[in-house]
Amino acid sequence: MRDYLQEGDLISAEVQSIFSDGAVSLHTRSLKYGKLAQGVLVQVSPSLVKRQKTHFHDLPCGASVILGNNGFIWIYPTPEQKDDEAGGYTANLEPVPLSDREVISRLRNCIMALVTHKIMLFDTSILYCYEASLPHQIKDILKPEVTEEIVLGARQRLLDSEG
């Protein structure tokens, strides 16, 4: 195991059990779990992450998100080859293309905008916010007036899709 993971590595796993001494038993049921690389970690309040059957989402914008119940959100470029086909984790040390980094940055800023307005985080709310942010530069998304405009647009689309 130490050949594969080291202290300080960021991983995705399910908590199987917590012991009285504070030890944790982690469970990785498939190859989609494991070491995380080439992405951005965003920490939000766990109460804003909507519980769903799956927390792994490939978004049509070219990035993927893992929405952890603990409030940790991992944003990364959608891999061209799925991990199930690759046979597990392989270290990818290639530079992330600028276009992927821009998508990841925009998604990160959209998540922060949704958090500022206390909107529940799930794949659809993030995608609607992302689409509403496209007319704006990435750096402007966190300006209060732009944030409000983007979040109102996303909120309206969410309400329209519900009813």
Side-chain angles (χ1 to χ4, degrees):
M1 188 57 111
R2 292 211 178 262
D3 293 338
Y4 177 62
L5 296 172
Q6 301 173 4
E7 285 85 6
D9 284 348
L10 193 59
I11 65 165
S12 170
E14 291 179 359
V15 176
Q16 188 173 21
S17 57
I18 301 173
F19 301 101
S20 60
D21 64 352
V24 177
S25 174
L26 300 177
H27 187 61
T28 56
R29 292 181 293 133
S30 69
L31 293 175
K32 72 179 180 179
Y33 296 101
K35 195 170 181 178
L36 301 174
Q38 296 199 326
V40 172
L41 179 67
V42 181
Q43 290 180 276
V44 302
S45 171
S47 63
L48 290 175
V49 177
K50 183 177 181 181
R51 290 188 178 269
Q52 295 183 291
K53 186 173 182 174
T54 180
H55 290 266
F56 292 78
H57 303 284
D58 293 338
L59 302 176
C61 58
S64 298
V65 294
I66 302 173
L67 302 168
N69 287 334
N70 60 358
F72 285 29
I73 299 174
W74 184 251
I75 310 168
Y76 60 101
T78 302
E80 293 177 17
Q81 183 180 19
K82 290 290 183 193
D83 288 342
D84 291 341
E85 299 162 11
Y89 176 79
T90 54
N92 181 0
L93 302 176
E94 293 294 316
V96 178
L98 176 62
S99 59
D100 288 346
R101 291 194 315 262
E102 288 175 342
V103 168
I104 290 169
S105 297
R106 183 175 295 276
L107 281 169
R108 184 251 179 222
N109 287 354
C110 286
I111 289 168
M112 297 311 295
L114 290 168
V115 166
T116 300
H117 288 268
K118 309 275 191 277
I119 305 291
M120 290 297 288
L121 299 172
F122 56 105
D123 56 332
T124 307
S125 67
I126 294 170
L127 183 60
Y128 286 173
C129 190
Y130 177 89
E131 291 170 352
S133 77
L134 290 174
H136 303 281
Q137 289 189 0
I138 296 168
K139 65 181 182 178
D140 294 337
I141 294 172
L142 296 179
K143 291 181 178 175
E145 63 277 4
V146 177
T147 297
E148 188 169 345
E149 174 189 332
I150 291 169
V151 170
L152 285 175
R155 182 183 287 152
Q156 189 58 50
R157 281 189 67 190
L158 286 169
L159 291 171
D160 292 345
S161 67
E162 288 176 2

